[in-house]
Amino acid sequence: QVELEESGGRLVQDGGSLRLSCSASGRTFSRYAMGWFRQAPGKERENVAIISGNGDITHYSESVKGRFTISRDNAQNMVYLQMNSLKPEDTALYYCARATASWAFLQSSFEYWGQGTQVTVSS
């Protein structure tokens, strides 16, 4: 069983920055892609950013491209999401998840999920 725990979410002003962190249990962390996803009230959960197991491939949703950066530290079993130029529409519960392979894109390919951390961007 893999446990994921997100942290770093809080209230921030429009244009501000935040860094989310996700710690993962387990000894094979580097074998699996990791992703950040988010869900706003009344909306479906959506992809935000994904990083491959060894960190050489990343993918971002169009809505965050150029503003958010995903990274990972395989020695520490950590994955991060640096969020800059935040907008009110970025307000959501942000989830960290681990995929079933070294690269994945579909949410259905992510089998372990954290409880989420709330990001609220005020205008």
Side-chain angles (χ1 to χ4, degrees):
Q1 183 70 17
V2 173
E3 295 185 355
L4 302 173
E5 183 173 5
E6 304 95 337
S7 62
R10 62 176 175 87
L11 174 66
V12 64
Q13 289 189 335
D14 190 355
S17 297
L18 277 179
R19 189 175 85 151
L20 304 184
S21 300
C22 172
S23 64
S25 65
R27 294 182 292 178
T28 58
F29 180 73
S30 63
R31 294 183 185 177
Y32 302 100
M34 298 293 295
W36 286 97
F37 303 83
R38 67 187 182 187
Q39 187 168 21
K43 296 187 177 181
E44 293 186 354
R45 188 169 59 195
E46 62 175 348
N47 289 24
V48 175
I50 298 169
I51 187 167
S52 62
N54 63 6
D56 61 345
I57 304 171
T58 57
H59 182 274
Y60 298 91
S61 69
E62 288 299 319
S63 62
V64 307
K65 195 174 292 184
R67 300 187 297 123
F68 291 11
T69 303
I70 189 171
S71 62
R72 65 189 298 162
D73 182 344
N74 285 343
Q76 300 294 325
N77 280 23
M78 296 291 294
V79 62
Y80 305 99
L81 185 68
Q82 178 66 44
M83 305 187 294
N84 299 328
S85 302
L86 282 161
K87 306 174 182 180
E89 51 263 43
D90 294 318
T91 295
L93 187 61
Y94 283 71
Y95 297 93
C96 168
R98 198 203 81 172
T100 56
S102 60
W103 177 252
F105 181 77
L106 298 177
Q107 289 190 36
S108 57
S109 296
F110 287 78
E111 64 178 331
Y112 295 105
W113 295 78
Q115 295 297 307
T117 186
Q118 179 67 40
V119 172
T120 303
V121 184
S122 64
S123 57

